[in-house]
Amino acid sequence: GTCIACLTGFYGPYCAHNCNCLNGICSSGIAGTGFCATCSKGFYGKTCNMRCTCKDCQDGPFGSGTCYSPPDNSVPTSKDRSGHGNNDSSSSSSVKPLVGVFVILFFVFVLVVAIFVVLVCYVKMMRDKQKFLTDNE
């Protein structure tokens, strides 16, 4: 059968896969993806394995590492080699709220799946109990 819940750091219907999130919180559990749901501050990328080159950047699993402020050591970011900071925050400001919405939707989905599994187990238990009582009459 499938798992009802996974240990921390594992995901998938059989909880057989390790999470790939290096510097953040993994999307784990039976409905998890194994990638990062959120990254620690200053990290970005699907597995939060890339570090921003400045104090304030577009971080997170869907971030690009684009700096909102000048880089820490005046080295241009990988996105902007001209030496000028990329201050276009219009696209990044719409990404962060979306990530939060997806994280909330993910947890609601996991909760609904867990409730469904509990109900299926309860119905099976009640059927088995009824069959036992009928067989012993």
Side-chain angles (χ1 to χ4, degrees):
T2 60
C3 297
I4 293 175
C6 297
L7 294 174
T8 302
F10 291 89
Y11 72 97
Y14 301 100
C15 303
H17 303 288
N18 288 325
C19 287
N20 298 318
C21 189
L22 302 175
N23 296 295
I25 298 173
C26 178
S27 170
S28 59
I30 56 174
T33 64
F35 292 108
C36 298
T38 61
C39 292
S40 301
K41 180 151 181 61
F43 289 90
Y44 67 99
K46 250 183 354 183
T47 60
C48 299
N49 63 327
M50 294 182 273
R51 183 177 217 120
C52 295
T53 60
C54 55
K55 290 180 183 175
D56 189 21
C57 74
Q58 184 182 7
D59 54 10
F62 302 103
S64 65
T66 301
C67 292
Y68 301 135
S69 60
D72 288 338
N73 56 5
S74 299
V75 175
T77 65
S78 60
K79 294 290 180 184
D80 183 5
R81 298 271 182 214
S82 68
H84 298 96
N86 184 353
N87 293 327
D88 181 16
S89 61
S90 59
S91 62
S92 62
S93 63
S94 63
V95 171
K96 286 189 180 188
L98 287 177
V99 171
V101 169
F102 286 122
V103 169
I104 290 169
L105 287 175
F106 169 75
F107 285 114
V108 168
F109 174 76
V110 169
L111 180 64
V112 168
V113 168
I115 290 170
F116 177 75
V117 168
V118 168
L119 286 175
V120 167
C121 290
Y122 178 77
V123 168
K124 184 180 182 322
M125 180 184 72
M126 293 306 286
R127 284 184 185 160
D128 291 346
K129 182 178 177 183
Q130 184 66 33
K131 185 175 189 245
F132 177 78
L133 292 175
T134 305
D135 290 347
N136 289 330
E137 285 182 356

